[in-house]
Amino acid sequence: MINKEFFKQAEELAKEKNVSVESIYETFAKSLQNAFKKIYGHASCRVEMKPEKSEIMMYSVHKVVDQYSEEETEEENPIEEMLLEDAIKIKPSYKVGDIVEQPINIKNFSRTGIGAAKSTWTQNLKSLEREKAYDYFKEKENEMVKARVVDINPDGKFITLDLSHNVYAFLPKSDLLPNDDLHNEDYVNVYIKKVEKTTKDPKVSVSRSERNLVIRLMENYIPEIAEGIIEIKGIALYSNDSKVDPIGSCVGEGGARIKEVCKALNGEKIDLYEWSDDPAKLIEKSLQPAHVTTVLKIDPIHKTSLAVVPDNELSLAIGKSGQNVRLAVQSCGWKIDIKPTSKAFEEGLLNEGLNIDAK
């Protein structure tokens, strides 16, 4: 069957759906096979696409046998059988084991067959889109994407985001940043935590509070990080080039670079500090802006430690509801217990002769 219009539309559809034109051909072929099965009661057929000739060919397929098989096969779409006596009527040279292919005129399909083809075509096309969307977002797992706010739950429990490719995600309130005040049609950066395949559209789990979102934003706005000159270890910074200041490069001239990152996080504050291979120095820096008197009980195997801080900076080091020390632990990778200096003296953890101001 010659159908120039089909091949033209197939190319346009492939561009629209962002899929290969070959996948469109395959999807349409499956639709024709389904129509064939509706008409003939079996799917023993073959569809051949010839875009260079704008031609669609369809053949029924039979295997020549001397007698019909009595046992049922477990194959999903087994080749139908044809007796040798019937095969030689088509071509005298056929013998047992040969495959007989006979052309089918698609234009003669019944209304029922055409309806089945259209139904399968729609379903297969939707499946193709879903598969493409899953592959796209699976590659984006653990990465940052920009999403559009399309709905805000009346109870404020979640926000619906359009991720593109006809995929939507629910952003729970618990995964928002404290300063987030989102409205419909706002665009926000989100971190893709997990992508799962379902019987419908892919399920994409996103977050705004995931710390890796900060890392992706910094890679986006700070070329030295994207190029690997500066590494982010936890949330600490390490320069692979002694000539490059990791903190200065990330802050940028007049704070321009870090301001862009903070802006993308709706004004959330970011504390940067330089990475150190010395655990005591690293832990001390992670607790900034609180001052650390000393770091004790460093266990490199279990990565545990005890930070001693001045009494008047204990609340600063711990933070509201333990937020500051929790962030320090996440950024440096060490478990940190905190004690005020006066308590450390009482417990004999510090030498009384040390000139340390407990206040």
Side-chain angles (χ1 to χ4, degrees):
M1 180 179 74
I2 304 296
N3 193 329
K4 294 182 179 179
E5 188 61 26
F6 165 78
F7 288 97
K8 179 182 177 182
Q9 290 180 358
E11 290 185 2
E12 292 174 354
L13 191 60
K15 290 179 181 178
E16 178 189 334
K17 303 297 182 183
N18 192 30
V19 297
S20 67
V21 70
E22 288 76 18
S23 63
I24 297 293
Y25 296 159
E26 184 180 347
T27 299
F28 186 67
K30 289 179 180 177
S31 304
L32 291 177
Q33 288 166 347
N34 188 63
F36 181 93
K37 185 175 182 179
K38 197 79 174 178
I39 296 170
Y40 296 97
H42 62 83
S44 188
C45 62
R46 181 175 69 85
V47 177
E48 184 178 352
M49 298 286 184
K50 296 182 178 180
E52 69 281 358
K53 295 182 179 179
S54 298
E55 191 174 22
I56 304 172
M57 301 296 294
M58 190 172 194
Y59 304 89
S60 64
V61 181
H62 291 81
K63 183 178 181 179
V64 179
V65 296
D66 51 7
Q67 61 180 15
Y68 291 121
S69 302
E70 295 182 1
E71 296 182 3
E72 292 187 6
T73 179
E74 295 182 358
E75 293 181 32
E76 186 177 348
N77 291 311
I79 297 178
E80 286 293 298
E81 296 176 335
M82 175 182 288
L83 291 175
L84 178 60
E85 58 190 72
D86 295 323
I88 59 178
K89 293 176 183 177
I90 299 171
K91 189 166 70 172
S93 60
Y94 278 132
K95 58 184 181 296
V96 173
D98 285 348
I99 300 297
V100 178
E101 292 191 344
Q102 295 177 283
I104 300 293
N105 191 337
I106 302 171
K107 293 181 179 180
N108 293 337
F109 274 11
S110 66
R111 185 183 298 273
T112 302
I114 293 172
K118 287 182 177 179
S119 176
T120 307
W121 165 247
T122 303
Q123 292 173 14
N124 288 345
L125 196 58
K126 185 63 179 176
S127 296
L128 184 64
E129 289 182 66
R130 288 169 174 164
E131 190 70 29
K132 186 72 176 180
Y134 171 79
D135 291 341
Y136 175 82
F137 285 105
K138 193 65 179 177
E139 288 185 2
K140 298 289 184 182
E141 207 170 46
N142 301 318
E143 296 295 339
M144 179 184 71
V145 299
K146 191 174 286 292
R148 180 170 61 93
V149 177
V150 294
D151 188 50
I152 298 176
N153 178 262
D155 298 328
K157 292 182 178 179
F158 61 85
I159 292 172
T160 305
L161 301 174
D162 180 357
L163 300 179
S164 77
H165 291 74
N166 292 318
V167 174
Y168 297 84
F170 297 114
L171 177 62
K173 184 179 180 180
S174 58
D175 276 315
L176 288 171
L177 293 169
N179 291 343
D180 277 341
D181 181 23
L182 302 179
H183 303 86
N184 283 338
E185 300 305 317
D186 283 350
Y187 281 88
V188 292
N189 292 300
V190 294
Y191 183 80
I192 296 183
K193 298 190 295 182
K194 190 175 183 181
V195 179
E196 300 174 85
K197 185 176 287 187
T198 71
T199 53
K200 295 184 179 179
D201 294 323
K203 180 182 177 182
V204 183
S205 300
V206 299
S207 174
R208 286 269 296 161
S209 61
E210 169 66 47
R211 67 173 181 158
N212 285 324
L213 177 64
V214 178
I215 295 174
R216 295 294 175 261
L217 283 168
M218 292 181 74
E219 289 172 343
N220 192 51
Y221 289 107
I222 302 166
E224 289 86 349
I225 292 178
E227 293 167 10
I229 298 173
I230 296 174
E231 288 183 58
I232 301 175
K233 296 188 174 184
I235 305 277
L237 301 169
Y238 175 79
S239 178
N240 289 310
D241 187 337
S242 59
K243 297 178 182 178
V244 177
D245 172 18
I247 304 298
S249 296
C250 291
V251 172
E253 187 175 349
R257 289 178 173 179
I258 202 64
K259 282 178 183 177
E260 287 296 323
V261 177
C262 292
K263 183 180 177 181
L265 295 171
N266 275 341
E268 284 294 304
K269 184 181 177 184
I270 299 174
D271 292 318
L272 301 176
Y273 63 92
E274 191 171 351
W275 175 269
S276 174
D277 290 324
D278 182 338
K281 290 182 180 179
L282 179 63
I283 292 163
E284 180 180 337
K285 290 179 179 182
S286 73
L287 288 169
Q288 294 174 353
H291 294 92
V292 176
T293 303
T294 186
V295 180
L296 306 171
K297 297 185 178 181
I298 296 175
D299 182 347
I301 297 177
H302 300 98
K303 300 200 79 172
T304 58
S305 65
L306 171 64
V308 179
V309 301
D311 289 25
N312 62 350
E313 296 203 24
L314 180 62
S315 59
L316 176 61
I318 294 174
K320 186 178 180 180
S321 302
Q323 181 180 9
N324 289 358
V325 68
R326 188 165 55 250
L327 289 174
V329 169
Q330 289 179 352
S331 65
C332 73
W334 285 74
K335 182 180 178 182
I336 307 171
D337 289 328
I338 297 180
K339 281 185 185 294
T341 305
S342 59
K343 189 73 172 176
F345 272 123
E346 289 176 15
E347 296 180 3
L349 297 173
L350 294 178
N351 190 324
E352 292 288 351
L354 290 176
N355 183 22
I356 296 176
D357 185 1
K359 297 179 182 181

